[in-house]
Amino acid sequence: MSSVHADIAILGGGMVGLALAHQLLERHPGLSIVVIDKEPEIGRHSSGRNSGVLHAGVYYPPGTLKAQVCVQGARRLRAWCEAERLPVLACGKVIAPQAPELDGQLDLLLKRGQANGAEVHLIDRAEFQRRVPDGLTASGRALWSPGTCVVKPKLVLQRLQQRLRERGVVFQLGTRIARVQPEARTLTLQNSSWAGHVLTYGYLFNATGLHADRVAQAFGLAQQCTLLPFKGVYWQLDPCAPFHFTTNLYPVPDLNVPFLGVHVTPSPDGSISLGPTAIPAWGRENYRGLEGVEPWMAVQFLGDLASQWWRNAGGFRRYAREQALHGLKPLFLKAVQALVPELRSEHLIPSEKVGIRAQLYDRRSGTLVQDFRLEQGEASTHVLNAISPAFTASFALADLILDQSTFTSI
Ligand SMILES: Cc1cc2nc3c(=O)[nH]c(=O)nc-3n(C[C@H](O)[C@H](O)[C@H](O)COP(=O)(O)OP(=O)(O)OC[C@H]3O[C@@H](n4cnc5c(N)ncnc54)[C@H](O)[C@@H]3O)c2cc1C
């Protein structure tokens, strides 16, 4: 069996994997890097299926990894997209309480945003109506984040891949890992021009998104964790509907769960999307119907959900009541109507777009993990829980991963 060597092996060609390759080359231009992805093209999972919102850094408690990287990451990715002349819609974001009792959360989010270095302002009803004439603020106040913008995620990924190829990064797509031997720093590859080849590496980064826990477990790590898939279904606003949105409109989220709630997002192409939901999926790649259903995973997931419900960890029952059933159109509509009261069922057009969040669940504590989590193994770093805002923060997150890894240089 012949062997190939790379200084760096990156498993997963999503935004996190590509940003890692980019930042590694910024620090060590001569490195040989191979990006391995099981799909024949990049962007088939979260990084190509998200809302494309570059979050400004308002939500995250100061001190968390998310807070550390979101503000910088958003600025850097936006500047990179602009330099590459990729579409960037500089539309800002309004966060409005959908019930009067949520008003107090605005002050908390304002404080968090300011502590994180994001530009964010409290606005009154008059300014809210000027920015979102068709929207509702239940308390008369809202938050305005002028720095939030929207990009086209697939275009960003494709351009980044192109730039990395130009700098010598090898993309080994449609390739699966048959065997890992961490102590020997080798991977045996399957299904590619390198089939049956052994890849030896100097250092490995696991950025496999929805499968990152399983890959980490093959390295003897993260045994107490599992990724739970939460599906994000979108709808499109009928272009003939009598509404006009020039900015993002988000609800005040339930800060106990890591989902931001269904929102209204304008795209650089002029369309308006509504969503995404955060409903349990019955497989990590269960995008539609029975496609990708994993029966054993589904049974375990139901058990994990039941346990969360029973213990009401992190106010889980509120999530179950308010978000888990948004796959049903009338309940989805009700959630959007809390933000846009005049919206009717006939204004919603089914959307092709659907994404699945790779949400980490810690079985030991019985909680959904809110922050990014990095685990260090033998000559390897494993990125678990690369949920939102990992796309936004990708360049800064990659720097943080490199700083915290045991990799220095080869
Ligand atoms: C519905 C939805 C909306 C979102 N909205 C936003 C948003 O507006 N803004 C934002 O910042 N974030 C958003 N996010 C989060 C964001 O999409 C993710 O944080 C980010 O894309 C994660 O990137 P990743 O590279 O870790 O994962 P992925 O993009 O999933 O990439 C992982 C890659 O690993 C590959 N892979 C998996 N297993 C293996 C294996 N064993 N061997 C080789 N390759 C493998 C996969 O094929 C995939 O290409 C959203 C997510 C969802 C689901």
Side-chain angles (χ1 to χ4, degrees):
M1 198 178 276
S2 56
S3 85
V4 189
H5 179 78
D7 295 331
I8 303 289
I10 298 176
L11 302 185
M15 197 58 194
V16 174
L18 299 195
L20 273 165
H22 186 269
Q23 291 315 113
L24 276 161
L25 286 177
E26 292 293 299
R27 294 180 182 205
H28 310 284
L31 284 179
S32 61
I33 301 178
V34 57
V35 175
I36 297 165
D37 200 291
K38 68 184 177 68
E39 302 293 351
E41 62 183 19
I42 60 164
R44 289 255 177 122
H45 299 289
S46 305
S47 301
R49 295 169 171 272
N50 62 45
S51 305
V53 177
L54 300 192
H55 294 294
V58 172
Y59 299 104
Y60 321 111
T64 58
L65 298 180
K66 287 183 177 180
Q68 276 178 50
V69 293
C70 188
V71 174
Q72 274 303 321
R75 288 183 190 144
R76 284 165 64 179
L77 185 52
R78 178 177 180 166
W80 186 86
C81 291
E82 285 170 350
E84 290 284 339
R85 299 192 182 285
L86 291 169
V88 175
L89 186 67
C91 56
K93 180 201 284 192
V94 172
I95 303 173
Q98 62 279 35
E101 62 273 18
L102 293 169
D103 181 77
Q105 300 280 59
L106 293 177
D107 298 306
L108 176 69
L109 291 175
L110 178 71
K111 268 199 201 131
R112 283 188 183 179
Q114 287 170 340
N116 294 341
E119 189 188 347
V120 57
H121 309 282
L122 267 174
I123 56 175
D124 60 13
R125 191 183 297 281
E127 185 169 351
F128 174 83
Q129 290 303 340
R130 196 168 58 71
R131 295 199 179 276
V132 205
D134 299 307
L136 172 87
T137 158
S139 69
R141 299 197 307 164
L143 284 182
W144 166 236
S145 156
T148 302
C149 60
V150 186
V151 298
K152 301 283 284 176
K154 272 209 171 147
L155 294 185
V156 175
L157 276 183
Q158 286 161 357
R159 182 63 59 82
L160 189 50
Q161 181 189 31
Q162 182 193 334
R163 294 292 176 238
L164 291 171
R165 278 195 162 130
E166 288 163 5
R167 295 173 76 179
V169 174
V170 173
F171 281 82
Q172 203 55 43
L173 303 179
T175 301
R176 288 181 181 269
I177 313 297
R179 187 170 177 219
V180 302
Q181 290 171 285
E183 49 318 312
R185 301 188 187 187
T186 61
L187 301 171
T188 307
L189 306 176
Q190 240 182 9
N191 297 339
S192 76
S193 51
W194 286 4
H197 275 59
V198 169
L199 173 74
T200 64
Y201 56 83
Y203 201 91
L204 178 142
F205 293 93
N206 163 16
T208 52
L210 285 157
H211 300 274
D213 57 334
R214 290 173 175 165
V215 173
Q217 283 157 9
F219 282 75
L221 304 165
Q223 304 296 338
Q224 78 290 2
C225 291
T226 187
L227 285 165
L228 298 181
F230 286 89
K231 192 184 297 192
V233 177
Y234 292 86
W235 293 80
Q236 290 288 318
L237 183 68
D238 184 339
C240 302
F243 305 112
H244 185 56
F245 291 101
T246 55
T247 184
N248 286 289
L249 177 60
Y250 276 61
V252 167
D254 177 353
L255 294 172
N256 291 311
V257 292
F259 315 123
L260 297 182
V262 296
H263 46 85
V264 181
T265 293
S267 162
D269 64 20
S271 64
I272 306 284
S273 64
L274 306 163
T277 59
I279 53 182
W282 307 120
R284 293 170 190 229
E285 299 181 16
N286 170 221
Y287 291 110
R288 275 168 225 291
L290 294 178
E291 171 198 323
V293 168
E294 299 175 61
W296 178 233
M297 191 234 84
V299 170
Q300 284 183 315
F301 192 2
L302 278 171
D304 292 330
L305 290 174
S307 141
Q308 291 266 97
W309 167 269
W310 179 251
R311 294 181 312 102
N312 197 22
F316 186 80
R317 285 182 202 164
R318 184 175 159 206
Y319 155 78
R321 250 192 341 266
E322 295 181 3
Q323 297 193 53
L325 297 177
H326 280 166
L328 303 170
K329 189 177 177 187
L331 297 185
F332 178 85
L333 180 65
K334 202 169 151 216
V336 192
Q337 281 173 334
L339 294 171
V340 186
E342 298 305 319
L343 195 92
R344 298 287 169 261
S345 176
E346 59 271 24
H347 299 139
L348 298 179
I349 300 177
S351 166
E352 285 292 294
K353 193 156 84 168
V354 51
I356 295 186
R357 298 170 184 79
Q359 173 59 53
L360 194 68
Y361 177 67
D362 189 328
R363 286 219 160 94
R364 213 167 29 192
S365 61
T367 51
L368 296 176
V369 179
Q370 295 265 3
D371 205 0
F372 302 141
R373 185 176 287 182
L374 306 179
E375 296 228 356
Q376 311 298 340
E378 175 74 34
S380 62
T381 297
H382 302 256
V383 188
L384 300 168
N385 216 31
I387 43 174
S388 183
F391 183 86
T392 298
S394 48
F395 286 149
L397 175 60
D399 274 334
L400 181 121
I401 294 166
L402 295 181
D403 291 342
Q404 294 202 358
S405 74
T406 53
F407 168 78
T408 43
S409 68
I410 303 291

